[in-house]
Amino acid sequence: MLTLVLIAVTVLVSWQAFERPRLIERLILWPPAIERKHQYDRLVTHGFIHADWQHLLFNMITLFFFGRAVEPVFAQLLGPVGYLFFYLSAIVVAILPTWLRHRHDARYRSLGASGAVSAVLFAYILLSPWSLIFVFFLPVPAIVYGAFYVGYSFWMDRQGGDNINHSAHLSGAIYGVLFMLLMEPRVGAVFLERLASPSF
């Protein structure tokens, strides 16, 4: 249920921002606004706006499939709002390295839910490493996709220049794994057992 609520809110806010550029300017992660005006809410609000419909659709489809899978686990271990706390905190944690790197750069801006969605995705991979993820209609084991995702994000973060915040993808992925392990350390042992016994 919370996954659907998060998707609905994100779609609504993004849609409103598409129609109102001034709203984007207020919600986007713009480091000087945090540094000078102390608008710390931007560390969260940037995760509810997107560059265009394609950007929004990709993130929300990913959140729909993997969020619904991990939400019950968080609800069982942390209560009904545990998943909401995880998602909102993932938005913040995923963007922190970017903010620290660009906190004096008035030309830098970042937006989108990708960091939090990466956290959700990697929490899922930790729980079900051999489940199949369809990438351009091709079935790929989740753990293989995860390894490629991390490698590609790391490489592209070093390359730069494509207007995609790969640093947030990496930070979100790491946070998703660490949060899950801190929440329930036994998940690590279960992950290793499942990893040693491939099943599709």
Side-chain angles (χ1 to χ4, degrees), residues 24-57:
I24 289 183
E25 288 302 313
R26 178 56 187 86
L27 301 182
I28 200 169
L29 179 85
W30 184 50
I34 299 172
E35 190 81 2
R36 302 169 191 168
K37 300 180 181 180
H38 308 293
Q39 293 175 348
Y40 297 107
D41 59 292
R42 290 177 184 260
L43 292 170
V44 175
T45 58
H46 77 276
F48 289 91
I49 56 175
H50 290 77
D52 51 41
W53 284 106
Q54 182 179 354
H55 184 206
L56 174 64
L57 186 63

Side-chain angles (χ1 to χ4, degrees), residues 18-173:
F18 294 152
E19 302 292 324
R20 299 161 58 192
R22 294 184 69 177
L23 182 60
I24 289 183
E25 288 302 313
R26 178 56 187 86
L27 301 182
I28 200 169
L29 179 85
W30 184 50
I34 299 172
E35 190 81 2
R36 302 169 191 168
K37 300 180 181 180
H38 308 293
Q39 293 175 348
Y40 297 107
D41 59 292
R42 290 177 184 260
L43 292 170
V44 175
T45 58
H46 77 276
F48 289 91
I49 56 175
H50 290 77
D52 51 41
W53 284 106
Q54 182 179 354
H55 184 206
L56 174 64
L57 186 63
F58 181 81
N59 275 336
M60 294 303 98
I61 288 175
T62 305
L63 180 59
F64 175 76
F65 285 109
F66 300 107
R68 290 190 310 155
V70 301
E71 182 180 341
V73 178
F74 283 94
Q76 183 179 9
L77 295 172
L78 294 178
V81 296
Y83 175 72
L84 181 62
F85 172 76
F86 167 67
Y87 185 85
L88 294 178
S89 63
I91 293 177
V92 176
V93 172
I95 204 65
L96 283 179
T98 299
W99 172 52
L100 291 172
R101 187 190 305 178
H102 296 279
R103 65 184 182 277
H104 301 302
D105 185 357
R107 297 171 299 175
Y108 187 84
R109 286 169 170 77
S110 184
L111 76 173
S114 301
V117 172
S118 291
V120 171
L121 172 62
F122 274 77
Y124 173 83
I125 291 173
L126 193 63
L127 293 171
S128 188
W130 292 111
S131 61
L132 295 178
I133 294 177
F134 287 85
V135 182
F136 300 113
F137 305 105
L138 296 175
V140 178
I143 188 64
V144 174
Y145 176 80
F148 174 80
Y149 183 94
V150 168
Y152 176 77
S153 296
F154 181 80
W155 184 71
M156 289 302 295
D157 185 48
R158 292 298 182 92
Q159 298 297 311
D162 63 353
N163 292 323
I164 296 175
N165 191 348
H166 297 284
S167 172
H169 296 177
L170 279 171
S171 300

